[in-house]
Amino acid sequence: MDDRKAAIVSEIPRLRRYARALLRDRDGADDLVQDCLERALTRLDNWQSGESPRRWLFTIMHHLFIDRMRKVSRRGETAMLPLDADEALAAPAEQFGNAASREIVDALQAIGPDRRAALVLVSIEGFSYAEAANILGVPAGTLMSRIARGREELRGLLDDSSRRRAIRIVES
């Protein structure tokens, strides 16, 4: 296997994590990763060697996701499925050992897909604002707005769930 293909293969866990955050469906996420890898390997000449393939692969995946959502909206099918906490990330399940982790994952899945994609790319995947804006195909200002609104929405959801957890039902 040449170096370029090996570099692409090393990005598969990150691609799976991002796909699951976007789709909230394990099987759909795996299909999206497979489509992304297939497109990347058939268009390997488009990748500038010497750079990490990460941004290029995430851009391909995001475009495939948008195409899939457009197709689903034209057909009138429901695109988002409920996500179990253990399916949220491609990482092993031991990450979800406490209730706070599950609440964060649930809250992240509850926000809109545009905000979720922006937050995942910057906060979890570690892309810069400029790189994430390029991947999503939006201006940097739009990305920053999505991140700010997504963080605010997350805070609201997490504050609400922590308040609900603190309330105890007392039966007489």
Side-chain angles (χ1 to χ4, degrees):
M1 182 182 312
D2 69 357
D3 293 338
R4 292 165 58 144
K5 290 180 182 174
I8 289 172
V9 168
S10 70
E11 294 296 327
I12 291 174
R14 291 180 187 95
L15 290 170
R16 290 185 76 209
R17 182 173 55 215
Y18 183 57
R20 287 185 180 179
L22 288 174
L23 290 175
R24 298 186 277 183
D25 172 36
R26 182 179 296 210
D27 294 331
D30 289 342
D31 290 343
L32 183 61
V33 170
Q34 181 176 343
D35 293 345
C36 175
L37 293 172
E38 181 180 329
R39 184 167 290 180
L41 292 174
T42 60
R43 297 178 178 156
L44 203 53
D45 295 335
N46 293 347
W47 173 36
Q48 299 172 357
S49 59
E51 290 184 13
S52 168
R54 193 166 182 216
R55 185 173 55 192
W56 179 63
L57 290 168
F58 274 73
T59 301
I60 291 171
M61 180 175 285
H62 183 73
H63 288 290
L64 289 169
F65 170 72
I66 295 298
D67 290 346
R68 182 178 287 188
M69 292 299 102
R70 286 180 181 150
K71 185 185 293 184
V72 165
S73 69
R74 280 193 304 266
R75 291 183 186 165
E77 298 173 13
T78 303
M80 301 298 177
L81 298 173
L83 179 69
D84 295 332
D86 62 337
E87 293 178 349
L89 301 174
E94 63 262 9
Q95 284 183 314
F96 303 104
N98 62 36
S101 294
R102 276 184 252 118
E103 286 178 6
I104 292 169
V105 170
D106 291 344
L108 185 60
Q109 295 303 320
I111 65 174
D114 290 341
R115 294 174 185 167
R116 183 173 55 248
L119 280 170
V120 167
L121 286 174
V122 172
S123 301
I124 297 174
E125 297 302 331
F127 285 106
S128 70
Y129 282 10
E131 291 171 328
N134 190 10
I135 290 169
L136 297 175
V138 298
T142 301
L143 176 85
M144 289 188 284
S145 294
R146 288 179 182 177
I147 289 171
R149 284 182 273 143
R151 286 178 177 161
E152 187 173 321
E153 194 173 347
L154 277 175
R155 273 188 218 103
L157 289 168
L158 292 172
D159 285 347
D160 187 46
S161 65
S162 65
R163 272 189 240 120
R164 274 187 273 132
R165 196 177 61 231
I167 297 173
R168 294 183 183 169
I169 299 175
V170 179
E171 295 183 25
S172 46

